[in-house]
Amino acid sequence: SGFMIPQYTTAALVSENKSLCFPPSADSIPTSLGQEDHVSMGSISGRKFNQILENLEKILAIELMYAAQALEFRRPCSFSKIIEKNFSIIRSKVAKLEEDRLLKDDINNMVSLVKNKSFVVN
């Protein structure tokens, strides 16, 4: 299936992020027999934001994995220094996909690279 299943994964994570963006403050629940008519949902917003960030790390990791594979199809062309450096970082953790294999470890390795800010930006 190649990268088909990770594509579904990124689509699901993006969809989940969209639903997590609903503002918790719009759902205040009165308490104490209506004496407290507004309960701040700030803590819920923080938890949702953390989940969105975790999902985004996974999305970026998978997309970078796709990008590295796409560069392989353009070889022997070379790319800018920054792209080649980042390509090397990716390939140090994730091999080119030649045949179907379980991609869980590859995705986890890529997530680690994203979380650790291992990529070159300039």
Side-chain angles (χ1 to χ4, degrees), residues 28-39:
S28 181
I29 298 173
T31 59
S32 300
L33 291 172
Q35 193 172 359
E36 298 289 335
D37 62 348
H38 178 78
V39 178

